[in-house]
């Protein structure tokens, strides 16, 4: 398998994780499949740089933690009597969900950190300083916004719904854009570093 | 220690601190058991009419503690249908409501003397159950006279009714015959009256009725006070000025208003759907009553929920 193919596997894996389509409560693009793609891709890249081996280890753990998100508790939307607006049936307990999200979030940060380090080192060896600088920049941006997200998560337990919605939407949008930017960067790194190379 | 390592340790500590502080605060404010909000519901039931009502309760957000079934002790072993819904989250708490429906015609289940319910036995998803106080429900079967001659036109005819989201409502009536309004009353006046104001207004030719009431009352010290204080035509129900004469064709409107939230009294947080009665006597001596509904479905902000929980804790 070529290096380009390995990068593409990582790229498709990240895309798979980002997209979340559900039929009812079932995720039809489950994240664990995306992480399996990443494990395969990172396993090949690890032959050229040990940072990818560490990233592969974290991706392997995420294969299992992502299973928690496969099926969501069913919710039913109803209209309350004498009230305006719609309400939903009770959701699953919050704390276990948050703890799993924290653990998965930290492992994911570690994975992305190692991936960025791997791309940066590989780019420097391949004399692609611009790509190396890009990796460093993405690492900072990705870690920064996702760190804010992890910092914010427990606060959402104790503050009013309006604040949860307002700050949550802002952070969700920001991390989504950062995620897209990172995925595009991985694609670019594959194109620049992977052509005509194989391990 | 290099700069990167210091930053990493510092950020990790901030993250840990944020989680520890937030989870501690969350757990300190956990309820030992769900808190049920007070409700006051009254109603008159006719044959084939079913009963449906909701009750509201506050639980911890972290617990999937839903009420899955309910027993009404007075109706045992009859088991009503029940469905639970989440209403809104307020910090570490969540307000839920459960909808109780009784498909069997409720009229058949009410004793002739009426049915008063102030406790429900609720069963939670975790298998536990408890008897909870939910305010009071008062149901009565429609009087036999209503059932015998349902087609007869009432002397005080309901023209329109309305309820607004700002916790106000009204009901208008027209006098089909000349009559004397003897009394306007609603149940649980001592409880609901803390946060509820009911106004009476006579419209159309109502000014004459109002003036008549004032001139008739010259000998009555209470009514003299009324004159001296120069009240407007909109009268608070508790400034009793009944009996009030109403000529044929005149209209009577009753308005009600609950205290705004945040309110001075916690009673403003009570849900209610009560039937108020206007008792009257026509010129031919026939006594009857007309009904109007008083509804309150408060909506809360987090501060209100904290206030309700604080009051309940203090009263425990």
């Amino acid at each position: 398998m070529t290096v380009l193919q390995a990068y593409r596997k990582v790229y498709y894996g990240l895309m798979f994780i980002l997209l979340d389509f559900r039929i009812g409560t079932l995720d039809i693009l489950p994240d664990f499949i995306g992480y399996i793609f990443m494990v395969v891709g990172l396993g090949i890249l690890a032959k050229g740089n040990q940072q990818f081996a560490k990233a592969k280890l974290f991706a392997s753990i995420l294969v299992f933690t992502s299973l928690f998100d496969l099926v969501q508790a069913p919710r039913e939307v109803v209209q309350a009597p004498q009230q305006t607006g719609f309400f939903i049936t009770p959701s699953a307990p919050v704390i276990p969900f948050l703890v799993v999200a924290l653990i998965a979030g930290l492992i994911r940060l570690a994975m992305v950190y190692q991936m960025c380090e791997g791309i940066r080192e590989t780019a420097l060896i391949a004399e692609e300083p611009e790509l190396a600088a890009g990796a460093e920049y993405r690492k900072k941006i990705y870690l920064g916004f996702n760190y804010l997200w992890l910092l914010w998560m427990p606060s959402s337990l104790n503050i009013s719904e309006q604040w949860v919605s307002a700050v949550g939407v802002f952070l969700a949008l920001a991390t989504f854009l950062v995620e897209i930017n990172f995925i595009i960067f991985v694609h670019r790194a594959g194109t620049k570093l992977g052509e005509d190379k194989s391990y | 220690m290099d700069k990167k390592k210091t930053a990493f340790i510092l950020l990790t500590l901030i993250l840990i601190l944020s989680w520890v502080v937030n989870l501690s605060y969350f757990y300190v404010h956990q309820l030992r058991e769900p808190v049920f909000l007070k409700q006051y519901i009254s109603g008159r039931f006719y044959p084939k009419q079913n009963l449906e009502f909701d009750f509201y309760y506050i639980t911890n957000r972290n617990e999937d503690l839903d009420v899955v079934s309910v027993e009404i002790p007075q109706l045992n072993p009859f088991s009503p249908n029940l469905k639970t819904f989440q209403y809104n989250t307020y910090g570490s708490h969540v307000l839920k409501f459960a909808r109780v429906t009784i498909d069997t015609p409720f009229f058949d289940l009410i004793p002739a003397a009426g049915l008063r319910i102030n406790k429900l036995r609720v069963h939670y998803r975790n298998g536990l159950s408890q008897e909870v106080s939910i305010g009071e429900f008062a149901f009565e079967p429609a009087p036999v006279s209503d059932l015998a001659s349902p087609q007869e036109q009432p002397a005080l005819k309901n023209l329109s009714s309305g309820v607004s989201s700002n916790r106000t409502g009204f009901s208008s009536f027209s006098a089909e015959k000349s009559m004397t309004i003897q009394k306007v009353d609603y149940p649980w006046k001592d409880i609901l009256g803390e946060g509820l104001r009911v106004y009476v207004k006579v419209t159309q030719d109502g000014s004459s009725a109002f003036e008549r009431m004032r001139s008739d009352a010259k000998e009555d010290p209470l009514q003299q006070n009324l004159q001296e204080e120069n009240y407007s035509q909109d009268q608070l129900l508790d400034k009793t000025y009944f009996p009030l004469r109403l000529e044929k064709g005149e209209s009577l409107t009753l308005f009600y208003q609950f205290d705004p939230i945040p309110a001075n009294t916690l009673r403003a947080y009570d849900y209610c759907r009560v039937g108020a009665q206007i008792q009257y006597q026509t010129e031919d001596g026939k006594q009857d009553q007309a009904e109007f509904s008083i509804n309150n479905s408060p909506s809360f902000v987090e501060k209100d929920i904290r206030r309700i929980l604080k009051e309940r804790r203090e009263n425990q």
Side-chain angles (χ1 to χ4, degrees):
Chain A
M1 190 183 282
T2 64
V3 173
L4 179 64
Q5 284 172 319
Y7 270 105
R8 288 291 180 269
K9 284 212 162 34
V10 175
Y11 167 78
Y12 288 123
L14 287 168
M15 284 294 282
F16 219 88
I17 296 158
L18 180 72
L19 300 174
D20 197 14
F21 290 116
R22 287 181 188 271
I23 294 180
T25 58
L26 186 72
D27 189 356
I28 55 165
L29 295 176
D31 290 358
F32 78 90
I33 295 181
Y35 284 117
I36 290 171
F37 267 91
M38 290 190 71
V39 169
V40 175
L42 290 168
I44 296 157
L45 295 176
K47 291 174 187 167
N49 188 300
Q50 274 309 296
Q51 302 286 6
F52 290 119
K54 291 176 190 167
K56 181 193 162 192
L57 173 69
F58 293 126
S60 307
I61 299 169
L62 286 167
V63 170
F64 298 101
T65 58
S66 62
L67 291 174
F68 287 101
D69 196 37
L70 195 57
V71 180
Q72 282 183 341
R75 290 172 164 210
E76 187 181 346
V77 178
V78 292
Q79 185 155 27
Q82 300 169 30
Q83 297 283 348
T84 51
F86 292 86
F87 308 99
I88 49 176
T89 50
S91 56
V94 173
I95 300 288
F97 165 79
L98 277 184
V99 171
V100 170
L102 171 69
I103 293 166
L106 288 171
I107 298 169
R108 201 174 150 80
L109 281 190
M111 180 188 78
V112 170
Y113 177 88
Q114 297 300 348
M115 280 173 66
C116 288
E117 283 294 293
I119 293 171
R120 190 180 65 84
E121 287 174 12
T122 314
L124 286 176
I125 293 165
E127 294 179 347
E128 292 277 1
E130 200 184 316
L131 195 67
E136 184 65 23
Y137 173 73
R138 260 81 183 183
K139 182 178 81 183
K140 284 177 181 162
I141 291 285
Y142 191 98
L143 296 189
F145 274 99
N146 281 279
Y147 176 82
L148 284 179
W149 182 256
L150 294 179
L151 202 61
W152 156 254
M153 265 203 306
S155 318
S156 65
L157 284 172
N158 298 314
I159 60 171
S160 69
E161 194 117 289
Q162 296 94 314
W163 277 102
V164 172
S165 304
V167 181
V169 165
F170 167 74
L171 278 176
L173 187 66
T175 48
F176 179 76
L177 293 175
V178 167
E179 190 82 40
I180 295 267
N181 183 267
F182 178 68
I183 292 171
I184 294 168
F185 177 72
V186 169
H187 189 275
R188 209 178 98 212
T191 309
K192 288 214 171 184
L193 301 173
E195 267 182 293
D196 306 327
K197 279 186 191 168
S198 59
Y199 295 124
Chain B
M1 200 186 295
D2 72 44
K3 227 171 157 182
K4 266 188 179 175
K5 214 168 188 175
T6 312
F8 177 77
I9 291 170
L10 195 68
L11 290 172
T12 308
L13 283 176
I14 292 171
L15 188 65
I16 292 169
L17 193 70
S18 163
W19 277 78
V20 169
V21 168
N22 277 293
L23 286 178
S24 305
Y25 183 88
F26 182 80
Y27 278 112
V28 163
H29 287 82
Q30 293 293 282
L31 298 171
R32 276 179 294 176
E33 58 184 24
V35 169
F36 287 77
L37 301 187
K38 300 276 184 228
Q39 306 208 83
Y40 296 90
I41 301 177
S42 73
R44 182 176 280 187
F45 279 80
Y46 290 84
K48 296 182 183 170
Q49 196 180 344
N50 293 342
L51 173 69
E52 181 179 286
F53 67 86
D54 300 326
F55 63 85
Y56 295 76
Y57 58 101
I58 303 166
T59 66
N60 296 323
R61 194 164 147 195
N62 186 40
E63 290 169 343
D64 205 359
L65 194 61
D66 296 332
V67 175
V68 289
S69 70
V70 64
E71 287 172 52
I72 301 173
Q74 291 91 331
L75 297 181
N76 268 341
F78 189 85
S79 177
N81 300 320
L82 183 127
K83 211 164 187 183
T84 303
F85 303 99
Q86 183 165 316
Y87 184 84
N88 212 349
T89 56
Y90 299 92
S92 48
H93 302 114
V94 56
L95 177 63
K96 295 177 179 178
F97 72 91
R99 184 169 298 166
V100 178
T101 49
I102 294 181
D103 295 334
T104 306
F106 192 59
F107 181 83
D108 302 333
L109 303 174
I110 312 175
L115 179 66
R116 281 191 176 259
I117 300 166
N118 48 30
K119 285 193 188 311
L120 294 176
R121 174 156 286 281
V122 294
H123 299 269
Y124 298 110
R125 192 184 296 283
N126 61 7
L128 296 175
S129 72
Q130 70 176 145
E131 200 165 71
V132 294
S133 172
I134 39 99
E136 193 161 8
F137 300 167
F139 303 120
E140 59 179 44
V144 180
S145 58
D146 274 20
L147 301 177
S149 55
Q151 303 304 321
E152 195 181 318
Q153 285 294 320
L156 192 61
K157 187 177 160 190
N158 187 220
L159 295 176
S160 59
S161 297
V163 58
S164 170
S165 58
N166 66 356
R167 300 151 61 77
T168 62
F170 74 94
S171 271
S172 286
F173 296 88
S174 133
E176 301 293 297
K177 295 175 182 173
S178 294
M179 64 175 65
T180 305
I181 306 289
Q182 295 168 314
K183 194 180 174 188
V184 176
D185 206 359
Y186 58 90
W188 303 296
K189 206 169 175 179
D190 53 329
I191 299 169
L192 298 176
E194 269 187 52
L196 169 68
R197 304 282 171 272
V198 182
Y199 299 83
V200 180
K201 185 176 182 179
V202 180
T203 50
Q204 291 180 352
D205 295 318
S207 53
S208 59
F210 184 72
E211 291 305 324
R212 247 191 341 268
M213 179 273 292
R214 286 168 60 134
S215 59
D216 289 351
K218 276 181 185 162
E219 303 305 317
D220 181 343
L222 179 73
Q223 299 297 346
Q224 277 173 6
N225 288 343
L226 190 71
Q227 283 185 311
E228 284 159 17
E229 288 173 31
N230 195 24
Y231 285 105
S232 72
Q233 250 181 275
D234 299 340
Q235 294 297 311
L236 277 174
L237 189 64
D238 47 16
K239 302 280 181 196
T240 311
Y241 62 101
F242 297 104
L244 170 64
R245 186 153 169 79
L246 209 60
E247 295 299 337
K248 184 180 177 184
E250 288 184 339
S251 299
L252 180 78
T253 305
L254 290 122
F255 299 92
Y256 65 84
Q257 180 176 13
F258 285 87
D259 282 356
I261 286 179
N264 294 324
T265 166
L266 280 162
R267 297 284 70 82
Y269 299 131
D270 294 341
Y271 287 81
C272 87
R273 194 174 76 209
V274 300
Q277 290 91 35
I278 308 167
Q279 290 174 13
Y280 61 89
Q281 184 174 27
T282 53
E283 278 186 326
D284 54 15
K286 190 184 171 193
Q287 291 210 343
D288 204 349
Q289 63 178 37
E291 279 211 0
F292 71 100
S293 184
I294 294 177
N295 295 301
N296 185 32
S297 294
S299 45
F300 305 111
V301 293
E302 200 177 331
K303 211 167 117 186
D304 302 312
I305 297 292
R306 275 205 301 267
R307 192 176 163 194
I308 292 168
L309 296 178
K310 186 169 174 260
E311 186 242 12
R312 292 294 180 90
R313 261 196 299 271
E314 283 167 2
N315 287 346
Q316 269 174 1

